[in-house]
Amino acid sequence: MINITTKRGRAGATQWNVYTENGIINDPRAGTYPELYYQWGLRGGVSQQCTLRQLSAGTCARVDSLNRGNVLNNAETSPFGTGNRSQYGLQASGGSDRVQFFLSAEREQEMGIYEMPAREQERLRLERKVSSLPIEQTRPNALERTNLRVNLTGQIARNATFAISSGFVQSNQRLPQNNDNANGLMVAAMGGVWRTDLKDSRGVELNGFRVFPLGDVLSRTTEQDITRFINSVQARWEPYGWLSTRATIGYDLTGRRDKAYNQFDQGIFVQPNRSGQINDFRADITQSTVDVGATASFRPFGWLGTKTSVGSQYIGNSFSQLGGTGESLPPGGTQVSAAAIRNSNASFDNTRTLGVYVDQLFSIRERLFLTAALRRDAASAFGAEARSVFYPKVGASWLISDEDFMPSPDWLESLRFRAAYGSSGQIVGTTDALRFYDPYPATISGGGDSPSVSIGALGNADLKPEYTAEFEGGFDLTMFTGASNLELTYYNKETTDALVSRRIAPSLAGVAARFENIGNVRNSGLELVFSQRLLDKQLIAADIVISGSTNRNELITLGEGVSPIPSGNRNTQLNTPGYPLFGMWGRRYTYNDANGDGILTDSEMTYDAAASFIGPSFPTREFVFAPTVELFDRKLRVSTQFDRKWGMLKLNNTLRHMCQGGQSCRGLYDQSASLDEQARTIAASGPQGIFTGFYEDGSFTRFRE
């Protein structure tokens, strides 16, 4: 549902609020990125690469030098500079007793930390014979955003009110190629060995980068423009004292454009000439919602109160996209229409969900509260045989401290016990239940292509949402006139009919998998929240909030005949019944430096025959500490938050890549590297391809805000 909760106007003279925020942005890891290694030695009478294993085997006669470094730690080659951000806002609110308004306008600008090094800028200016370079290449990370909002509330009758909300967001963002991208910035910086003597095929110095000079990498521009309208109208009518009705209609329209291009004779040099290339995709995304409901409240007896609610909710989502790609651009060309070779495609999908519910609440002596509810959902994304799904809910809350038999010590403010059982669902993907076909041009004898189709997805007519049922129980304790509060909750949540991409024999339909409702997952644990007011004076007030939780996750079943499903980078995770979902698995190994030379070889490694469970990949424990100080009669408020998460493992994929693909990690070359470093390098870079040595403690403490 579209549910806009924002500031509203208040009756009275117009109030103005002006605010601003300015700051700088730096790379917190500057100068601390892991070093890349390369060792020179004499092999076959020629100075060339010399690894520890080659040295131990005698194929490397001697070591000449060990080089190490990282372009990201060198100010002359690093793509990280100093960024900045600014934000300016203006708000106005006011109105009469019958109509109130709230207006706001906000402008935000940000220049990211990425910056083309000065020597690369100079090289490109000389190469292109220009006096300056486009800012989208020299500063490839930037954001501009405009946010406008109007809220209007009014009373159209004694027992009827309305509210109108409208928002407009315009965002323009650009980003460099990055992440796990062979032509991206970080792979260029850390994807190869540490050699500063290399040049590309044109003879241009790489200055420590892998294959392409950094200026060429940053010469590809990636932009995303978003225009979004968010609108809603809400009406409330209370025809009788015991009956309240409401209706909300929302409409969200987003226009998105994703464009990436490099101009003719710019960008990475991967062909005899750089002909220019462009991708340009435009999408329209809409969501429409309708929420209607009514609540009837009665008190048939003095000790009994009832509240009955009924309602219906409709959600419609629509996505349509039209895009094109182009090759061989003319000089200066930045549009698909200018390309010599053009391709286009279009896609769209629509989903509709309709839900109805009834909710009943009983209040007994304003101490015991009992709730029961039932919801029914139907959606177009469900399989043809899965018409609808029902979600029940029951709950109880008992304010036991108000009971006559309950002792009332001075420190006790209130004590409430509560328990609830409820269910919900995760809707299936828009096309997961559908069988559809892909066009496929089949070549026929005599030349030419014959249009035909092949199955793109097998579909599943029985596909339905994941079903999650959760029980939780606990208590809320308030002490010392509200200065201390404690909440403790136990939860047990089980998901059945989990959506799993099940592998099938390709010979059955020409596809390798389809979604089925076959998984069963359980999460259980404790949650605790404690708040304490430390000071409560007119000039200064202070309080703290401490919260924590534990979680035990387990994949209970995966469906009859379904083998454990690998996932994660390099299939380092395995979904196996009896173990945590997305658990870290792998083959363990041991080593023994038999000859005591401080260098491990393949023959000194021993590997387990099969993979075993190493640890969970999600936190099993969390802790949050949030102190707050308020000054000058609570006119100035300063707060912060610290998070601690632990009990999980993470794959150090950067180091894995350096040791396996990049051939640049310390364990390959440095004789002073520990045996542990050498062992994980051998396990990963050898034919076994074992990565358990790169599973590291994922615990962290973060200063959030």
Side-chain angles (χ1 to χ4, degrees):
M1 293 299 300
I2 299 174
N3 186 13
I4 302 175
T5 302
T6 184
K7 292 184 178 180
R8 301 287 183 183
R10 293 183 179 180
T14 301
Q15 300 292 317
W16 296 89
N17 181 30
V18 180
Y19 61 92
T20 182
E21 177 181 320
N22 290 270
I24 61 174
I25 308 171
N26 291 311
D27 176 21
R29 293 200 58 182
T32 64
Y33 285 90
E35 292 186 314
L36 284 64
Y37 286 75
Y38 191 79
Q39 186 162 255
W40 293 93
L42 190 65
R43 292 174 51 203
V46 179
S47 181
Q48 55 184 299
Q49 182 189 48
C50 178
T51 67
L52 293 180
R53 279 179 282 182
Q54 291 166 341
L55 183 64
S56 179
T59 56
C60 179
R62 70 166 189 266
V63 172
D64 294 332
S65 63
L66 175 66
N67 300 334
R68 66 184 189 181
N70 191 320
V71 293
L72 302 179
N73 297 330
N74 183 345
E76 293 185 357
T77 58
S78 172
F80 302 131
T82 300
N84 59 79
R85 74 178 309 273
S86 60
Q87 188 176 24
Y88 304 91
L90 174 66
Q91 298 176 347
S93 63
S96 65
D97 292 339
R98 300 294 295 269
V99 179
Q100 300 89 43
F101 69 89
F102 174 83
L103 307 174
S104 73
E106 185 177 86
R107 176 67 174 173
E108 181 181 359
Q109 293 180 303
E110 184 174 306
M111 183 67 71
I113 61 174
Y114 294 114
E115 182 176 9
M116 187 184 295
R119 67 166 63 176
E120 281 295 281
Q121 293 190 42
E122 180 181 3
R123 176 184 70 82
L124 290 180
R125 286 196 298 267
L126 293 174
E127 180 181 297
R128 300 177 188 176
K129 298 180 175 58
V130 296
S131 59
S132 63
L133 301 176
I135 190 172
E136 59 264 24
Q137 296 182 13
T138 59
R139 300 303 298 261
N141 184 201
L143 170 68
E144 293 185 356
R145 180 184 292 127
T146 300
N147 192 333
L148 306 176
R149 181 164 296 166
V150 178
N151 297 328
L152 184 66
T153 59
Q155 186 175 5
I156 56 179
R158 180 183 58 81
N159 57 357
T161 60
F162 74 93
I164 300 175
S165 297
S166 183
F168 169 81
V169 179
Q170 174 69 54
S171 173
N172 307 100
Q173 185 177 25
R174 63 176 182 264
L175 295 166
Q177 294 190 87
N178 210 345
N179 298 325
D180 195 7
N181 178 346
N183 301 328
L185 188 154
M186 294 303 290
V187 173
M190 300 187 62
V193 296
W194 181 246
R195 291 184 59 179
T196 57
D197 60 318
L198 298 178
K199 300 179 180 180
D200 72 0
S201 58
R202 301 165 296 173
V204 176
E205 293 184 354
L206 296 176
N207 297 314
F209 285 88
R210 186 176 70 102
V211 178
F212 309 113
L214 181 61
D216 292 351
V217 172
L218 297 184
S219 291
R220 182 170 178 84
T221 300
T222 302
E223 301 171 328
Q224 184 179 78
D225 298 335
I226 293 177
T227 301
R228 186 176 183 185
F229 291 91
I230 309 171
N231 307 278
S232 72
V233 178
Q234 184 181 77
R236 291 184 177 274
W237 180 41
E238 299 179 359
Y240 307 102
W242 54 269
L243 179 62
S244 173
T245 64
R246 57 174 174 77
T248 303
I249 299 175
Y251 186 73
D252 186 344
L253 171 62
T254 301
R256 189 185 73 200
R257 183 183 186 186
D258 297 284
K259 184 179 181 181
Y261 65 93
N262 54 274
Q263 299 185 45
F264 173 79
D265 207 24
Q266 296 182 18
I268 60 175
F269 198 86
V270 294
Q271 299 173 347
N273 55 68
R274 292 174 289 187
S275 60
Q277 193 274 338
I278 182 171
N279 301 328
D280 195 348
F281 291 87
R282 308 186 187 200
D284 290 326
I285 307 167
T286 63
Q287 184 178 77
S288 55
T289 63
V290 178
D291 180 9
V292 295
T295 299
S297 301
F298 299 98
R299 184 167 290 278
F301 305 101
W303 55 271
L304 177 64
T306 70
K307 182 181 293 185
T308 305
S309 299
V310 295
S312 178
Q313 296 168 335
Y314 166 84
I315 304 174
N317 292 291
S318 175
F319 174 88
S320 63
Q321 179 174 271
L322 179 65
T325 63
E327 304 281 348
S328 298
L329 293 168
T334 59
Q335 302 298 327
V336 174
S337 58
I341 304 172
R342 299 185 293 270
N343 290 287
S344 63
N345 61 68
S347 61
F348 67 92
D349 60 63
N350 297 280
T351 59
R352 303 288 183 266
T353 303
L354 178 64
V356 294
Y357 67 90
V358 57
D359 189 299
Q360 178 64 55
L361 169 67
F362 294 100
S363 171
I364 303 174
R365 294 183 297 147
E366 298 299 326
R367 298 172 189 174
L368 179 62
F369 302 89
L370 305 175
T371 303
L374 181 66
R375 179 184 178 92
R376 176 186 181 274
D377 278 353
S380 60
F382 296 177
E385 300 300 323
R387 300 297 182 182
S388 61
V389 61
F390 290 88
Y391 301 115
K393 179 182 75 172
V394 293
S397 174
W398 186 15
L399 190 61
I400 193 173
S401 57
D402 284 1
E403 297 290 356
D404 295 336
F405 62 80
M406 182 69 182
S408 300
D410 293 340
W411 56 267
L412 179 63
E413 183 75 13
S414 68
L415 174 62
R416 181 187 301 272
F417 289 105
R418 49 182 166 75
Y421 169 89
S423 57
S424 62
Q426 174 64 47
I427 195 169
V428 301
T430 304
T431 59
D432 290 346
L434 300 179
R435 175 178 298 185
F436 58 86
Y437 300 85
D438 292 330
Y440 180 77
T443 302
I444 60 175
S445 61
D449 292 337
S450 172
S452 60
V453 295
S454 62
I455 294 180
L458 188 60
N460 183 354
D462 296 319
L463 201 62
K464 54 188 176 182
E466 292 185 349
Y467 187 90
T468 299
E470 180 175 3
F471 167 81
E472 67 172 44
F475 65 86
D476 304 330
L477 177 63
T478 301
M479 301 170 287
F480 308 112
T481 64
S484 302
N485 295 274
L486 177 65
E487 300 176 14
L488 181 65
T489 303
Y490 166 78
Y491 68 91
N492 189 312
K493 180 170 65 175
E494 185 168 335
T495 298
T496 57
D497 295 328
L499 295 166
V500 176
S501 180
R502 181 177 185 174
R503 296 178 178 178
I504 59 176
S507 59
L508 294 177
V511 294
R514 76 168 186 173
F515 279 97
E516 296 185 5
N517 297 103
I518 54 177
N520 190 358
V521 182
R522 178 185 294 124
N523 286 272
S524 60
L526 293 172
E527 296 175 342
L528 180 144
V529 179
F530 174 74
S531 63
Q532 177 64 52
R533 186 186 306 145
L534 303 177
L535 288 172
D536 191 11
K537 305 294 184 181
Q538 184 173 0
L539 293 180
I540 182 171
D543 61 70
I544 60 171
V545 176
I546 298 173
S547 63
S549 64
T550 66
N551 182 66
R552 184 178 184 273
N553 171 273
E554 181 184 0
L555 176 61
I556 302 173
T557 61
L558 196 54
E560 184 178 353
V562 180
S563 301
I565 299 175
S567 61
N569 197 313
R570 298 303 187 277
N571 288 334
T572 50
Q573 299 172 356
L574 194 64
N575 298 289
T576 304
Y579 294 90
L581 199 64
F582 304 109
M584 304 295 292
W585 289 67
R587 292 170 61 188
R588 300 177 187 268
Y589 58 82
T590 57
Y591 56 84
N592 178 29
D593 183 17
N595 58 10
D597 63 353
I599 300 176
L600 289 180
T601 61
D602 294 272
S603 62
E604 295 172 325
M605 298 284 296
T606 302
Y607 305 96
D608 286 356
S612 59
F613 175 69
I614 309 297
S617 62
F618 288 103
T620 58
R621 285 157 289 175
E622 299 185 22
F623 175 82
V624 177
F625 176 69
T628 299
V629 176
E630 295 177 304
L631 303 173
F632 313 122
D633 198 19
R634 292 180 169 80
K635 291 183 173 63
L636 175 63
R637 186 173 189 267
V638 181
S639 62
T640 188
Q641 179 174 311
F642 297 90
D643 285 2
R644 170 71 176 170
K645 297 185 179 183
W646 70 101
M648 72 287 197
L649 297 174
K650 295 296 180 182
L651 169 67
N652 188 336
N653 193 48
T654 299
L655 185 57
R656 190 278 312 166
H657 190 282
M658 291 170 61
C659 292
Q660 184 189 32
Q663 296 286 293
S664 62
C665 71
R666 183 185 180 192
L668 277 169
Y669 303 104
D670 191 355
Q671 296 183 57
S672 65
S674 68
L675 295 181
D676 280 341
E677 290 179 284
Q678 296 182 47
R680 67 184 180 187
T681 301
I682 294 173
S685 59
Q688 296 84 6
I690 295 173
F691 309 125
T692 48
F694 304 102
Y695 295 177
E696 299 179 354
D697 183 3
S699 304
F700 66 87
T701 301
R702 179 169 296 167
F703 175 42
R704 287 285 186 184
E705 55 187 42

